């Protein structure tokens, strides 16, 4: 078998949708699993949808995710250009379209907009209206065609699809699929602006670039017979098709661009890390052997077998992604974590406390970086809190007993010079042992007075280390006053 070559061929139309990222990832994994090549090709034939800066987004996304391409606009592998508008300028698409005309497999179509709008239409599976072309221009005489061309009449070039019988094609995920030929419209190959359509350019480029496996979303399944018609007309080998299942939201609706977490950069903005996004996206339609869920990119390359992809829609479960992201944050080295967490901490804490100590407290307790804010806001300002927080049934702490603990530990903490976590813990542990209490019986009231929160990152002594002696004592004294006034 020839060397595996896959391609990712995005359009520069904005942020990279999760579905496009998965296509890129699967194409990369299929190639790298077999020691093959992964090619980047830019499909900019739809000039109306071009978005300024979108090309930079594509490069940035591939670089951040680790999906390094072997060939592309910036890495010539000898089969470029790798940008379709540049390829179009060479006349390659028109050349092949005219070859099909000469073979009788394609034809010029001069129908204007009004005539096309008068044709019958049908509704596709996704609800869009499709005009069914009636092959009117297929029957024009050579003289009529030449006269129209000489007069400069606008035209498109269409493929001549069979109108009767059926066409069967094979996909490595969905198997053999048979469609009635009457459903296959004579699709346009070259548009009136001289640009190739997405479908035609894909076939020409995939063949000329030696692409062996075509990876794309299953919304293109219905186009496969049209692609095959072009391959067969040229006598070219048809590549292996790998159509990926649909990605839906939690309500089983197609994940749309309007969804708040539909693009890679949306997810970065929401505090997810790149490695977790890539890991999670890999599992949207592919099931690894065994129970492993956390994969590095290198592990994915080794484990990925596209034959284990699913036909069923994959649900984008944000909660599952958050869990996975939390696992990545726990495993991350501290310096990297702090660099990423610092802006979120500075958003909340402005009073000169040790931000690294705060980062260390939250590292294993958050799933995404924005979680930091609600975890640490009490460091900046003691919130209003209900005195019932001092009570803890399991530890048999009441408001009255909490008051006793605060009053008895206050002088110990006032005398304490070393406000490091370990030193504070030793002091309080001595008090606990002396009194015969359980550690939680003493720490619970202290933590409540220090934080005004039921749940905190870190215990009482860790909080005091961050707050420092002066602020810790102020909050404990305030707790005593409030409990005495109740």
């Amino acid at each position: 078998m020839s060397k595996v070559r896959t391609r990712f061929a995005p359009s520069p139309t904005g942020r990279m949708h999760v579905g496009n990222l998965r296509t890129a990832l699967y194409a990369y994994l299929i190639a790298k699993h077999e020691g093959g090549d992964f090619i980047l090709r830019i499909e900019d034939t739809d000039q109306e949808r071009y978005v300024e800066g979108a090309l930079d987004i594509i490069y940035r996304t591939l670089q951040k995710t680790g999906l390094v391409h072997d060939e592309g606009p910036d890495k010539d592998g000898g089969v470029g250009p790798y940008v379709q508008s540049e390829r179009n300028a060479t006349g390659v698409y028109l050349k092949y379209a005219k070859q099909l005309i000469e073979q009788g497999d394609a034809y010029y179509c001069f129908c204007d907009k009004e005539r096309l709008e008068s044709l019958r239409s049908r509704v596709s599976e996704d609800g869009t209206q499709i005009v069914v072309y009636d092959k009117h221009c297929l029957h024009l005489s050579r003289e009529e065609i030449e006269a129209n061309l000489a007069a400069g009449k606008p035209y498109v070039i269409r493929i001549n699809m069979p109108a009767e019988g059926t066409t069967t094609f094979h996909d490595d995920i969905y198997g053999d699929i048979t469609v009635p030929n009457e459903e296959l419209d004579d699709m346009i190959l070259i548009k009136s602006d001289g640009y190739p359509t997405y479908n035609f350019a894909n076939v020409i480029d995939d063949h000329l670039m030696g692409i062996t496996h075509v990876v794309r979303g299953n919304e293109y399944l219905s186009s496969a017979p049209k692609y095959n018609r072009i391959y067969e007309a040229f006598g070219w080998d048809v590549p292996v098709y790998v159509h990926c299942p649909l990605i839906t939201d939690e309500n089983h609706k197609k994940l749309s661009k309007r969804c708040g977490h539909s693009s890679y950069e949306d997810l970065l903005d929401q505090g997810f890390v790149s490695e977790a996004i890539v890991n999670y996206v890999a599992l949207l339609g592919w099931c690894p052997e065994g129970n492993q869920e956390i994969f590095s990119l290198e592990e994915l390359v080794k484990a990925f077998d596209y034959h284990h992809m699913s036909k069923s829609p994959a649900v984008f479960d944000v909660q599952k992604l958050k869990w996975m992201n939390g696992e990545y944050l726990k495993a991350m080295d501290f310096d990297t974590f702090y660099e990423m967490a610092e802006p979120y901490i500075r958003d909340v804490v402005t009073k000169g406390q040790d931000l690294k100590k705060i980062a260390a407290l939250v590292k294993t307790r958050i799933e995404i970086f924005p979680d930091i804010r609600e975890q640490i806001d009490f460091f900046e300002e003691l919130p209003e809190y209900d005195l019932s927080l001092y009570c803890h049934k399991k530890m048999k702490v009441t408001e009255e007993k909490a008051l006793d603990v605060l009053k008895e530990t206050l002088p110990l903490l006032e005398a304490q010079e070393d406000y490091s976590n370990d030193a504070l813990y030793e002091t309080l542990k001595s008090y606990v042992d002396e009194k015969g209490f359980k550690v939680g019986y003493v720490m619970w009231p202290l933590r409540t007075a220090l934080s005004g929160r039921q749940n905190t990152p870190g215990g009482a002594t860790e909080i005091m280390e961050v707050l420092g002696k002066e602020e810790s004592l102020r909050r404990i004294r305030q707790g005593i006053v409030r409990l005495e006034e109740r």
Side-chain angles (χ1 to χ4, degrees):
M1 182 181 172
S2 59
K3 188 177 188 182
V4 170
R5 285 172 63 83
T6 64
R7 49 76 170 170
F8 176 50
S11 299
T13 57
R15 290 187 161 194
M16 193 180 293
H17 187 270
V18 166
N20 286 345
L21 176 59
R22 184 187 62 178
T23 298
L25 176 59
Y26 284 7
Y28 175 86
L29 295 175
I30 288 170
K32 295 305 163 186
H33 184 75
E34 298 293 340
D37 294 328
F38 173 61
I39 292 99
L40 173 65
R41 188 172 74 222
I42 303 300
E43 300 197 339
D44 61 346
T45 54
D46 192 343
Q47 294 290 294
E48 290 181 5
R49 295 180 64 223
Y50 179 82
V51 173
E52 197 68 40
L55 199 54
D56 292 333
I57 292 175
I58 292 167
Y59 282 122
R60 189 165 63 241
T61 301
L62 293 179
Q63 191 234 334
K64 282 184 177 179
T65 54
L67 306 183
V68 180
H69 51 282
D70 300 290
E71 299 173 27
D74 56 338
K75 296 178 184 178
D76 188 10
V79 291
Y82 294 84
V83 179
Q84 280 187 341
S85 58
E86 294 175 18
R87 293 174 74 79
N88 189 54
T90 69
V92 63
Y93 303 118
L94 188 58
K95 180 187 88 168
Y96 279 105
K98 285 184 175 178
Q99 181 181 327
L100 289 177
I101 291 174
E102 289 165 15
Q103 294 174 192
D105 293 307
Y107 57 95
Y108 291 104
C109 173
F110 300 95
C111 292
D112 57 24
K113 188 179 176 184
E114 288 69 33
R115 183 174 190 282
L116 292 173
E117 286 177 350
S118 71
L119 297 173
R120 69 185 180 89
S121 62
R122 61 181 174 83
V123 179
S124 69
E125 286 182 10
D126 62 4
T128 54
Q129 204 83 0
I130 299 174
V131 173
V132 180
Y133 187 65
D134 60 358
K135 295 182 181 286
H136 172 76
C137 290
L138 176 64
H139 308 295
L140 295 178
S141 66
R142 181 177 290 275
E143 292 74 25
E144 287 175 294
I145 293 168
E146 288 176 355
N148 285 337
L149 291 174
K153 193 170 182 180
Y155 67 85
V156 298
I157 297 177
R158 292 180 181 271
I159 188 80
N160 181 19
M161 297 295 291
E164 298 173 350
T166 60
T167 295
T168 299
F169 68 96
H170 181 79
D171 175 81
D172 265 26
I173 308 304
Y174 291 83
D176 288 335
I177 298 175
T178 300
V179 294
N181 287 336
E182 63 183 19
E183 292 182 7
L184 303 179
D185 190 31
D186 285 4
M187 73 172 178
I188 295 171
L189 306 181
I190 302 291
K191 297 180 285 187
S192 57
D193 62 4
Y195 273 89
T197 56
Y198 172 86
N199 291 328
F200 185 53
N202 255 300
V203 172
I204 302 301
D205 291 344
D206 284 344
H207 171 73
L208 296 179
M209 292 182 175
I211 302 304
T212 60
H213 292 65
V214 171
V215 184
R216 58 188 175 215
N218 73 352
E219 65 268 28
Y220 295 105
L221 261 176
S222 60
S223 301
K226 300 176 185 179
Y227 296 139
N228 286 6
R229 172 81 177 93
I230 300 170
Y231 280 111
E232 288 159 7
F234 285 119
W236 295 341
D237 290 338
V238 176
V240 174
Y241 289 131
V242 181
H243 285 90
C244 309
L246 183 70
I247 301 176
T248 73
D249 60 21
E250 289 95 332
N251 300 315
H252 302 286
K253 300 278 175 62
K254 184 179 179 181
L255 196 66
S256 73
K257 288 191 175 180
R258 291 183 296 277
C259 174
H261 45 258
S262 68
S263 84
Y264 171 75
E265 292 203 336
D266 287 340
L267 294 171
L268 290 183
D269 291 346
Q270 289 164 28
F272 292 94
V273 296
S274 190
E275 294 84 354
I277 297 170
V278 170
N279 188 160
Y280 182 70
V281 167
L283 302 177
L284 290 173
W286 169 70
C287 186
E289 292 182 331
N291 299 319
Q292 184 177 346
E293 290 188 288
I294 305 296
F295 289 88
S296 67
L297 187 58
E298 293 74 22
E299 288 171 327
L300 284 171
V301 167
K302 289 178 186 172
F304 192 80
D305 179 350
Y306 72 85
H307 296 97
H308 289 174
M309 284 168 57
S310 172
K311 300 176 190 175
S312 305
V315 177
F316 190 94
D317 182 345
V318 180
Q319 296 310 313
K320 179 69 179 283
L321 174 56
K322 282 184 176 180
W323 166 81
M324 184 171 282
N325 201 71
E327 295 302 300
Y328 272 86
L329 296 185
K330 287 173 190 170
M332 188 179 285
D333 75 84
F334 181 75
D335 288 343
T336 304
F337 176 82
Y338 179 68
E339 185 181 338
M340 299 178 79
E342 184 187 7
Y344 295 90
I345 299 172
R346 287 193 184 279
D347 267 358
V348 179
V349 177
T350 63
K351 294 184 175 176
Q353 292 155 356
D354 190 327
L355 303 190
K356 284 197 169 181
K357 287 177 181 173
I358 294 175
L361 292 181
V362 300
K363 185 172 184 290
T364 60
R365 294 173 170 90
I366 61 169
E367 292 185 324
I368 54 174
F369 286 109
D371 291 348
I372 288 173
R373 297 187 183 100
E374 62 184 32
Q375 291 255 354
I376 67 169
D377 55 2
F378 71 89
F379 283 117
E380 179 73 1
E381 204 69 57
L382 183 67
E384 289 292 322
Y385 63 93
D386 196 292
L387 293 179
S388 63
L389 275 184
Y390 282 103
C391 301
H392 195 297
K393 279 186 180 179
K394 192 175 179 182
M395 288 187 254
K396 298 178 180 174
V397 180
T398 62
E399 290 175 23
E400 189 176 336
K401 289 176 179 176
L403 176 59
D404 290 341
V405 167
L406 295 185
K407 287 170 104 174
E408 289 178 14
T409 55
L410 179 62
L412 300 174
L413 296 170
E414 286 173 332
Q416 180 84 14
E417 291 301 324
D418 184 349
Y419 256 65
S420 67
N421 173 47
D422 290 346
L424 287 164
Y425 186 82
E426 284 304 315
T427 297
L428 291 169
K429 183 70 166 59
S430 296
Y431 167 74
V432 165
D433 292 342
E434 181 189 326
K435 291 288 189 178
F437 295 146
K438 289 185 176 177
V439 173
Y441 181 86
V442 173
M443 298 299 184
W444 181 266
L446 282 170
R447 190 167 68 93
T448 303
L450 292 162
S451 69
R453 297 278 293 275
Q454 188 162 17
N455 298 300
T456 59
T461 55
E462 292 169 299
I463 292 169
M464 282 191 274
E465 181 179 34
V466 172
L467 290 175
K469 183 173 182 177
E470 185 182 336
E471 179 64 12
S472 297
L473 294 176
R474 186 187 74 80
R475 293 187 182 194
I476 292 168
R477 291 182 188 121
Q478 185 178 326
I480 290 171
V481 170
R482 289 195 62 199
L483 284 167
E484 285 179 332
E485 291 177 347
R486 74 190 189 282

